[in-house]
Amino acid sequence: MEKTTRKCVFAGTFDPPTLGHKAAIEDCLALFDEVVVAVMVNPQKQPCFSSKQREEMLRRIFPNESRLKVLSFSGTVAELLEKENTKIYVRGIRNTVDFEYENANFFASRKLDKDLIAVYLPCRQELLHVSSGMVRNSLRFQTPIDEYVPKEIKEYIQEILSL
């Protein structure tokens, strides 16, 4: 009998990747054989870090994980899922606000791909306060980011921003 590989896509802006993102990717790796982490390029957002820098940060968190693929993508989620040959789209949920936002996006994406399967992963309780926005604010005001990002990300940000 042929073994089927379970593959998912976890996409986001990751500006920058946080401990919450790391935890969600770890959960994906526990559930799936292959995980595609896509840095989404949204023309409506002005990111602090380039898509290449965000890709590099994600790779630094999981340097030896062969089941993880990191890429940038500028199309729709439906197009990304088709390109990656999977129907499983993973989203991290911190609270009811995230749930409402993700559900609205799910229904919009479902119109483009009726077979899309959304998997919502609840945030770890100790990371509920973590967001990329908090990191950017901390950088703006030059306050510590240790409780928001993995050490590999902190080191990389310090390198590129010469802190």
Side-chain angles (χ1 to χ4, degrees):
M1 185 172 177
E2 186 178 322
K3 180 186 182 295
T4 54
T5 301
R6 296 305 255 166
K7 180 179 183 179
C8 75
V9 167
F10 178 58
T13 307
F14 304 111
D15 188 36
T18 66
L19 288 168
H21 295 128
K22 178 183 179 186
I25 294 167
E26 288 169 344
D27 290 347
C28 287
L29 289 165
L31 291 168
F32 299 95
D33 302 311
E34 291 181 47
V35 178
V36 176
V37 178
V39 173
M40 298 302 276
V41 179
N42 182 342
Q44 295 175 338
K45 290 187 176 183
Q46 294 297 324
C48 183
F49 299 96
S50 73
S51 59
K52 292 294 179 207
Q53 288 171 328
R54 290 177 277 156
E55 282 184 55
E56 176 62 23
M57 285 186 248
L58 287 160
R59 287 188 184 99
R60 285 183 181 215
I61 300 171
F62 299 96
N64 301 312
E65 182 51 72
S66 62
R67 299 174 301 141
L68 187 71
K69 175 181 176 182
V70 178
L71 55 85
S72 289
F73 194 78
S74 60
T76 67
V77 168
E79 292 169 327
L80 175 59
L81 291 170
E82 183 177 343
K83 176 182 177 281
E84 290 301 324
N85 196 30
T86 185
K87 297 295 179 188
I88 304 171
Y89 184 49
V90 174
R91 304 302 299 148
I93 304 290
R94 286 176 296 205
N95 52 39
T96 57
V97 174
D98 282 356
F99 179 78
E100 293 295 328
Y101 175 82
E102 295 301 341
N103 239 19
N105 282 341
F106 165 73
F107 291 120
S109 294
R110 197 77 182 276
K111 288 179 182 179
L112 300 173
D113 181 354
K114 66 178 179 50
D115 297 323
L116 181 145
I117 299 167
V119 175
Y120 296 158
L121 295 176
C123 180
R124 296 178 188 168
Q125 188 174 18
E126 67 273 14
L127 298 175
L128 288 171
H129 69 290
V130 174
S131 71
S132 294
M134 292 296 291
V135 178
R136 291 190 304 274
N137 282 340
S138 295
L139 291 171
R140 194 172 293 119
F141 294 107
Q142 298 180 346
T143 58
I145 60 173
D146 305 75
E147 70 179 282
Y148 306 122
V149 299
K151 66 177 176 51
E152 301 87 352
I153 301 302
K154 179 185 174 190
E155 292 165 0
Y156 181 77
I157 289 172
Q158 289 173 328
E159 284 174 30
I160 61 175
L161 297 180
S162 300
L163 297 176

